[in-house]
Amino acid sequence: MTEYPPFPFEKSEAGQTLESKEEIRKRIDALITKEDAMIQELIAKNPYIKNKHFEQLLTAIVLTTALAVGGMKESLGESATAFAAESSAPAVVSAEKAPETQNELGGVPIIEIQSLIEKRYLYPVDTSQCRTLSLENISSCLDEYSGYESPEPQKRLTSGDYSGVGAFFKKNTDGKIFVFDVPEELPATRAGLRRGDRVISIRNAEDQTELMADDFSLDNFLLTIRGKEKSKVWLTVEREGAIIALPVIERAHILGQRTFSRQELPNGIGYVRFPYFMPFVADGFEETLKQLQETGHLRALVLDLRENQGGLQNEAFRIMRYFVASGNPEEIIITKQYKDRETVIRLENAYVMDAQSNTKMGSGISIQCPTIILINNRTKSSSEIVADVLHESGRAILVGTQSSGKAVEQTTFPLSNGAYLKLTTAKLLYGERRHDIHTKGIIPDVSIAWEKKDGQSDAEFMAEHLKNLGNPEKDPQLKKALEILQEKITQSSAQ
């Protein structure tokens, strides 16, 4: 039997029947055992998994079924999107709180929370700060990415397959909400929403109340803009000083493979921009690579990860597989440090399983051309994995500005009251030399920033910056990347 240290929460309310500490601990042990078994079963069935200790990677797969079976799911990470998002601020605390006692937090036995922290939280906890836990102060015991989350917003924010407008949003430092990407052929594009638009207000068909965007946190704005398929929403935006009331947007079913953009640039250079790593985005990336190959635009490649706040780690791993040569023993390495163990993840080339022979079949795609990855200070989490691992393995040059510096992983655990406890459970190290970027960020090989014009406000600068991202004539970081790649293409042709 596992031995546990005593907790300072021993008292019960008069006349109240509570689970004993041992009963709660047994319940948590059973939950973790059940989830470990579920993950191991998925490992055996999943063709993308090589390493048998891929627990945290597999939580991205558990994501779609975890709530139904009572299991855990990996946090989607920090996002600024209307597709699937969490705030980069501390975890959400419910405004509608259940009664608290010395033994309970939001209706959950405190020992339940304490046991999860003790078993899974990566860092040591100063229990002197946590003796009187409440919904308001739980984050003081944990890091900035961990905390208590109420049920419904968490469920809605982390579902990766849902109905929405099909646009990515970000909140600027001055509190204003901007559109930072609008993939093609989605409702927002058809309604005329553009990158760089500042959102002024939002109105849902259900109540017809016009709500001012500046009054929302980013999370609440994203919850408001999402809804049932075919339901309607109206947006009013500011564009180049003009206030524009957009036509009605009918929400549609959004799938991850349609949530990024590509361009075929001169001299055979391909450009792919990932605003966020949605579920199934790697499937769309494979199709894009095939198209770029067919049109002769894979002599060199630009991967644009600027403004990408992360997303599903599994999708980031799948994308990196296309940079490993087929049949080549070289591997991409990621090390995960947990509280009680360390796991080394080695990525092979992307492949599919032949159903009849149950053998690996190569995808036929392996990116061996010169590659540049664009990063900036909002390149974060899973996008930093892609940038730094490919850079550390010598497969990519980095251009832009220093990245955010988040290299820890969160797991979201269901609680007995239907809410969730999100905990940092692992630290990530990249490449053979175990590069640690957490809190430091990634320094690009070529540093180049956008220049703010004299007299330009923060809002004007952000609107211009977002509007021109990916424009070869007006995007200074992309222009520099193309110069470097063109030189490499010329050198290669001369050999």
Side-chain angles (χ1 to χ4, degrees):
M1 170 139 346
T2 306
E3 293 295 328
Y4 299 90
F7 289 108
F9 307 102
E10 304 283 348
K11 299 178 182 178
S12 83
E13 299 295 316
Q16 185 178 8
T17 302
L18 298 174
E19 284 182 288
S20 68
K21 289 187 294 183
E22 195 58 38
E23 288 172 332
I24 293 172
R25 284 165 174 156
K26 285 180 179 178
R27 176 157 54 82
I28 292 171
D29 281 342
L31 172 65
I32 291 173
T33 299
K34 177 180 178 181
E35 286 158 352
D36 285 343
M38 178 169 58
I39 289 169
Q40 292 303 321
E41 181 181 355
L42 285 169
I43 287 173
K45 295 179 179 179
N46 192 327
Y48 289 104
I49 304 306
K50 175 186 178 183
N51 191 304
K52 288 293 184 180
H53 298 285
F54 250 47
E55 291 97 334
Q56 297 301 308
L57 172 59
L58 255 294
T59 53
I61 300 168
V62 175
L63 174 71
T64 56
T65 56
L67 291 174
V69 299
M72 70 182 179
K73 59 180 176 13
E74 180 180 15
S75 166
L76 283 179
E78 286 59 49
S79 160
T81 79
F83 291 103
E86 290 182 14
S87 170
S88 56
V92 177
V93 173
S94 172
E96 298 180 3
K97 299 184 294 182
E100 296 178 15
T101 71
Q102 286 181 297
N103 296 282
E104 291 192 346
L105 174 65
V108 182
I110 288 178
I111 198 168
E112 180 179 345
I113 293 174
Q114 286 276 10
S115 294
L116 284 170
I117 292 172
E118 174 191 287
K119 283 173 170 287
R120 292 298 179 95
Y121 185 56
L122 180 63
Y123 304 114
V125 175
D126 182 358
T127 56
S128 66
Q129 296 183 18
C130 304
R131 290 187 179 277
T132 54
L133 279 178
S134 68
L135 292 180
E136 286 78 12
N137 76 358
I138 186 172
S139 293
S140 67
C141 304
L142 307 171
D143 69 346
E144 63 181 300
Y145 305 112
S146 303
Y148 177 94
E149 298 187 338
S150 54
E152 188 55 29
Q154 170 63 216
K155 188 185 299 184
R156 291 172 63 190
L157 281 170
T158 56
S159 59
D161 181 6
Y162 72 99
S163 297
V165 301
F168 291 82
F169 299 86
K170 65 173 288 181
K171 196 174 182 73
N172 200 21
T173 52
D174 60 5
K176 295 175 172 52
I177 293 177
F178 286 86
V179 179
F180 83 82
D181 216 332
V182 192
E184 296 178 0
E185 300 178 0
L186 293 176
T189 304
R190 293 193 290 270
L193 197 64
R194 298 180 189 172
R195 275 186 308 171
D197 284 352
R198 177 199 160 198
V199 182
I200 302 296
S201 65
I202 179 172
R203 177 165 57 93
N204 278 306
E206 291 80 5
D207 56 20
Q208 294 292 323
T209 302
E210 187 171 28
L211 304 171
M212 305 309 293
D214 289 355
D215 295 336
F216 283 93
S217 68
L218 182 60
D219 279 349
N220 286 334
F221 175 80
L222 299 177
L223 288 170
T224 302
I225 205 167
R226 292 174 60 169
K228 295 180 180 178
E229 187 174 10
K230 296 187 178 180
S231 61
K232 294 177 174 58
V233 63
W234 287 263
L235 292 177
T236 299
V237 301
E238 180 183 9
R239 182 184 301 157
E240 298 178 353
I243 303 300
I244 302 170
L246 295 176
V248 62
I249 304 175
E250 187 176 275
R251 296 180 177 99
H253 194 59
I254 306 296
L255 293 174
Q257 56 262 48
R258 299 172 61 192
T259 58
F260 66 95
S261 55
R262 73 178 181 95
Q263 296 183 58
E264 296 177 354
L265 300 177
N267 304 312
I269 299 175
Y271 169 91
V272 179
R273 172 169 164 73
F274 290 107
Y276 188 74
F277 294 127
M278 291 284 292
F280 311 115
V281 72
D283 297 329
F285 183 53
E286 179 173 331
E287 290 304 313
T288 291
L289 292 176
K290 290 177 181 176
Q291 293 167 5
L292 291 173
Q293 279 185 335
E294 291 170 358
T295 59
H297 284 83
L298 207 52
R299 296 180 69 191
L301 180 66
V302 177
L303 280 187
D304 192 346
L305 299 181
R306 293 171 297 177
E307 305 296 327
N308 184 321
Q309 292 268 287
L312 285 176
Q313 194 179 95
N314 189 42
E315 296 301 308
F317 284 13
R318 290 180 63 197
I319 285 167
M320 286 190 288
R321 291 175 185 274
Y322 294 105
F323 289 84
V324 182
S326 239
N328 194 314
E330 64 179 342
E331 294 172 318
I332 292 176
I333 299 172
I334 301 102
T335 302
K336 291 190 177 185
Q337 292 181 332
Y338 299 100
K339 188 183 189 79
D340 56 358
R341 69 191 187 282
E342 187 174 277
T343 296
V344 177
I345 299 167
R346 302 176 186 273
L347 300 183
E348 294 179 328
N349 178 253
Y351 59 84
V352 296
M353 296 295 288
D354 180 76
Q356 293 183 337
S357 63
N358 197 34
T359 57
K360 299 176 185 178
M361 304 292 289
S363 67
I365 298 176
S366 176
I367 302 171
Q368 300 300 307
C369 62
T371 300
I372 286 181
I373 299 177
L374 299 178
I375 61 173
N376 68 1
N377 65 339
R378 287 182 62 82
T379 301
K380 189 174 186 179
S381 195
S382 292
S383 60
E384 286 181 292
I385 296 177
V386 174
D388 199 55
V389 170
L390 294 182
H391 180 253
E392 283 290 301
S393 62
R395 291 169 171 83
I397 296 171
L398 303 182
V399 172
T401 57
Q402 186 172 350
S403 69
S404 175
K406 178 181 182 286
V408 289
E409 174 178 285
Q410 287 70 49
T411 301
T412 305
F413 299 91
L415 298 173
S416 56
N417 68 342
Y420 305 89
L421 183 66
K422 183 171 73 171
L423 298 176
T424 293
T425 52
K427 184 175 183 178
L428 286 77
L429 306 171
Y430 305 135
E432 290 187 5
R433 69 186 184 101
R434 298 160 63 92
H435 191 209
D436 180 3
I437 68 163
H438 189 56
T439 73
K440 307 176 186 73
I442 310 167
I443 306 296
D445 299 296
V446 180
S447 293
I448 180 169
W450 288 69
E451 296 293 335
K452 188 176 180 180
K453 298 173 184 175
D454 291 340
Q456 196 174 36
S457 69
D458 288 345
E460 290 169 339
F461 173 71
M462 182 56 63
E464 181 180 13
H465 164 69
L466 295 174
K467 175 184 175 183
N468 292 323
L469 274 181
N471 184 328
E473 301 300 321
K474 298 183 178 181
D475 181 337
Q477 293 163 334
L478 177 57
K479 285 177 72 173
K480 174 56 70 173
L482 295 178
E483 288 174 12
I484 296 169
L485 290 176
Q486 183 55 57
E487 183 178 342
K488 288 189 173 294
I489 290 172
T490 302
Q491 292 172 352
S492 178
S493 301
Q495 293 176 357

